[in-house]
Amino acid sequence: MSLPSDFFGRMVFILQNYGPSFLAGAGKTMAIAIVGTLIGCLIGFAVGIIQTTPESKQDNLLKKVLIKGIKFILNVYVEVFRGTPMMVQAMFIFYGSSALFGINMSIVFASYFIVSINTGAYMAETVRGGILSIDPGQTEGAKAIGMTHYQTMLNVIMPQALRNIMPQIGNNLIINIKDTCVLSVIGVVELFYATKGVAGAYYTYFEAFTITMVIYFVLTFTCSRILRHWEKKMDGPDSYDLATTDTLAYTSGMVRFPDPKEKEDK
Amino acid sequence: MAESNVLKIRHLSKTFGANVVLRDIDFNVDAKDVTCIIGASGSGKSTLLRCINLLETPTTGEILYHDVDITDRKMNVPEYRTRVGMVFQNFNLFNNMTVLDNCMVGQMKVLKKNKEEAKKTAMMFLEKVGMAPYINAKPRQLSGGQKQRVAIARALAMEPEILLFDEPTSALDPQMVGEVLAVMRTLANEGLTMIIVTHEMAFARDVSSHVVYMAGGVIEEEGPPADIFGNPQKNSTKEFLARFMQG
């Protein structure tokens, strides 16, 4: 088997021989990115919700101290994991866990874990911003019909905050797809690591990484389009159907309201 | 008086930092009373109403609901709020829900009603405010007057004993004010206990059974609308009303 002499020929050759390696690498990359983003989002929601919990004067001292303490710990978590590179975190956690605690993480588990907590730290701040961006009137409206803080969060604030932070979640997913390549330092065979192996076999770095560039771009572009579509779906239709065709129903209220026909025309 | 007061406010004060917003407020609300609170902007009307619903915590004083002090620490505030509803100036409809869901969510999550029951009650009140055809609309697709009517239906769907209105028509243009006031007038005629903060003097005069005039965080004058509007005792009340009734 000899290497073709032209650039495109070499690319085809690599694809024919190592296609499955690229696919496996891309698969692992996507798996880590998606699982990491999802778990990171869950962590982010939990941390963001706790950090925006209002302090109530009615709470007893123990509860106040407890909430303060938890908030402090979560702050430390957010600052540390936002403030250090994921590559360093990967080394620190993967080697540290076995050296200090004798825990032998599998490489794959370690990569899910690292991406998740890293994303969680970013998402915590995003969720906090999303919650703060919702008009306080929404909270008051919910309180006024007797909802507790928890019910208000679950039914009113979070659905709206989630919609508002969707672009940021998409951002995080795309960053994660790309940044999983730093996990090659602990030996995860994701797309970057796989490419390095392929490139080294015939010393075709340029060709192999051209393919990888394209794969990364296709992955991120597809994800960003899917998320954009999802956002549109969350917004619901622009128009609405009047709930009745019974013309008598329009006069059942005792106040005047605009002719529904006019609305439909718009 | 034979019937006891539903709501008694005793020596209520509220300060924001060094700012005294309410000073020693005292008044009673009987069942089926329609109490209108009038006064210039910044006189503490809205704060008073928000204190009654505990959206603001009173600094001192008591609010007695059926002789139970609701400012007590042990009070179950969410439960109390299902009995005393509130309608806001800016509607505060839940933007993520349709009109129908807005009116059902409280019944289902707070009152734990099942879906059918909640829908029945919601539809009943939405029909009452003339919004039944719009149940599938989201709040952003409605006009101000429509939103406020939905907000009233949402509050009514909890079947509260008292309904508080915080300047319900102040964010509406004149055309829409009428439709909201018409709804409120019907509720008053049906005997719902209401406390209304408003700048609609004609409405206060015609619909209320009790008028409270506030200025500078205190109640300047209160009484039946005929007395307040027809024969105000204090100069400040006269001046305030003269300015409003001209228009």
Side-chain angles (χ1 to χ4, degrees):
Chain A
M1 219 167 27
S2 67
L3 207 57
S5 56
D6 64 312
F7 178 71
F8 288 105
R10 282 198 295 270
M11 265 170 65
V12 173
F13 176 84
I14 291 171
L15 276 176
Q16 274 169 348
N17 287 286
Y18 298 101
S21 299
F22 283 107
L23 277 184
K28 179 111 295 160
T29 290
M30 283 310 286
I32 296 172
I34 289 173
V35 171
T37 308
L38 283 179
I39 298 176
C41 281
L42 293 180
I43 297 173
F45 278 114
V47 176
I49 288 170
I50 293 170
Q51 281 180 331
T52 50
T53 308
E55 282 164 37
S56 163
K57 279 180 194 153
Q58 287 190 322
D59 292 342
N60 57 37
L61 191 69
L62 184 73
K63 197 174 166 192
K64 273 184 193 165
V65 171
L66 198 67
I67 290 179
K68 275 250 164 71
I70 293 173
K71 279 186 180 176
F72 176 77
I73 293 168
L74 293 179
N75 258 331
V76 171
Y77 158 65
V78 169
E79 295 300 342
V80 167
F81 280 90
R82 274 200 319 175
T84 52
M86 190 156 83
M87 204 172 191
V88 179
Q89 289 166 19
M91 299 293 254
F92 179 77
I93 291 172
F94 183 63
Y95 294 110
S97 62
S98 68
L100 275 182
F101 304 110
I103 305 167
N104 276 314
M105 287 187 190
S106 79
I107 291 173
V108 175
F109 176 81
S111 30
Y112 286 132
F113 182 74
I114 289 155
V115 176
S116 298
I117 53 172
N118 195 280
T119 309
Y122 280 95
M123 283 305 297
E125 285 298 282
T126 305
V127 171
R128 198 171 68 86
I131 291 170
L132 294 179
S133 76
I134 305 299
D135 173 20
Q138 296 284 311
T139 309
E140 289 188 350
K143 278 185 177 172
I145 57 171
M147 284 196 194
T148 59
H149 176 73
Y150 174 73
Q151 287 170 329
T152 306
M153 273 300 185
L154 191 69
N155 297 298
V156 179
I157 306 301
M158 287 320 294
Q160 296 183 51
L162 179 66
R163 169 61 191 91
N164 287 356
I165 63 174
M166 272 305 281
Q168 192 55 38
I169 293 177
N171 232 349
N172 261 316
L173 176 61
I174 285 168
I175 289 172
N176 281 343
I177 293 173
K178 297 184 299 173
D179 282 6
T180 43
C181 71
V182 306
L183 294 175
S184 60
V185 293
I186 56 169
V188 194
V189 190
E190 40 65 65
L191 187 52
F192 175 75
Y193 197 93
T195 311
K196 256 181 29 180
V198 173
Y202 286 91
Y203 213 68
T204 49
Y205 278 88
F206 186 34
E207 294 79 1
F209 278 99
T210 307
I211 294 167
T212 302
M213 280 284 278
V214 172
I215 296 175
Y216 270 121
F217 182 75
V218 168
L219 293 179
T220 54
F221 187 72
T222 312
C223 285
S224 90
R225 290 295 120 175
I226 290 172
L227 285 167
R228 189 65 61 83
H229 178 74
W230 199 6
E231 272 179 45
K232 278 221 173 103
K233 237 181 154 178
M234 281 173 91
D235 285 339
D238 285 335
S239 59
Y240 59 93
D241 295 324
L242 285 172
T244 174
T245 48
D246 176 8
T247 46
L248 277 178
Y250 297 135
T251 52
S252 63
M254 74 285 121
V255 284
R256 288 186 305 117
F257 44 87
D259 185 5
K261 292 260 164 48
E262 279 177 28
K263 261 262 146 62
E264 282 174 344
D265 289 342
K266 273 177 202 169
Chain B
M1 220 184 285
E3 55 187 327
S4 76
N5 306 120
V6 180
L7 204 63
K8 279 182 265 194
I9 293 164
R10 295 278 173 269
H11 308 294
L12 181 75
S13 296
K14 175 71 184 172
T15 54
F16 291 108
N19 237 342
V20 182
V21 183
L22 295 174
R23 204 170 306 162
D24 205 20
I25 301 285
D26 253 302
F27 77 97
N28 298 331
V29 176
D30 290 333
K32 301 189 177 183
D33 259 359
V34 177
T35 307
C36 277
I37 305 175
I38 58 172
S41 298
S43 58
K45 308 183 300 287
S46 288
T47 307
L48 172 57
L49 208 63
R50 291 167 62 82
C51 280
I52 295 175
N53 205 13
L54 293 179
L55 287 175
E56 304 289 353
T57 314
T59 312
T60 57
E62 293 180 328
I63 299 171
L64 301 167
Y65 173 67
H66 290 293
D67 296 316
V68 178
D69 184 10
I70 59 155
T71 58
D72 190 75
R73 250 165 190 267
K74 292 190 189 77
M75 186 71 199
N76 182 346
V77 177
E79 206 275 330
Y80 164 74
R81 288 193 182 120
T82 65
R83 311 292 308 135
V84 179
M86 181 139 174
V87 173
F88 298 87
Q89 181 174 355
N90 296 319
F91 329 122
N92 293 348
L93 289 177
F94 306 136
N95 294 327
N96 56 323
M97 299 180 198
T98 63
V99 165
L100 184 61
D101 288 338
N102 260 284
C103 298
M104 283 170 62
V105 66
Q107 297 184 69
M108 287 166 65
K109 303 290 175 190
V110 181
L111 302 179
K112 310 286 181 205
K113 286 193 195 175
N114 68 36
K115 205 172 171 185
E116 283 76 42
E117 257 182 287
K119 186 169 181 185
K120 217 174 115 193
T121 314
M123 287 310 295
M124 184 172 89
F125 288 109
L126 281 167
E127 246 157 60
K128 185 178 212 130
V129 300
M131 288 301 290
Y134 296 91
I135 51 170
N136 296 325
K138 289 275 183 78
R140 66 185 147 92
Q141 294 160 330
L142 300 175
S143 73
Q146 291 175 324
K147 277 188 227 179
Q148 194 58 293
R149 285 189 276 144
V150 173
I152 292 172
R154 178 178 74 181
L156 287 172
M158 303 299 288
E159 300 183 79
E161 185 175 8
I162 306 176
L163 202 47
L164 311 173
F165 290 82
D166 186 10
E167 302 196 29
T169 58
S170 297
L172 303 176
D173 66 44
Q175 214 181 348
M176 295 170 183
V177 169
E179 63 187 52
V180 172
L181 291 184
V183 170
M184 291 168 62
R185 214 177 277 258
T186 315
L187 297 176
N189 290 338
E190 286 173 1
L192 180 70
T193 309
M194 307 200 283
I195 306 176
I196 306 166
V197 169
T198 187
H199 290 296
E200 297 291 330
M201 292 304 146
F203 178 83
R205 185 187 57 202
D206 300 340
V207 178
S208 66
S209 54
H210 190 80
V211 176
V212 174
Y213 169 65
M214 284 182 68
V218 294
I219 294 180
E220 282 281 303
E221 202 169 339
E222 61 172 320
D227 292 357
I228 300 286
F229 288 97
N231 183 24
Q233 299 299 309
K234 291 197 180 169
N235 277 334
S236 65
T237 318
K238 278 181 200 162
E239 276 166 29
F240 174 77
L241 289 174
R243 214 171 311 142
F244 258 101
M245 297 309 270
Q246 281 165 2

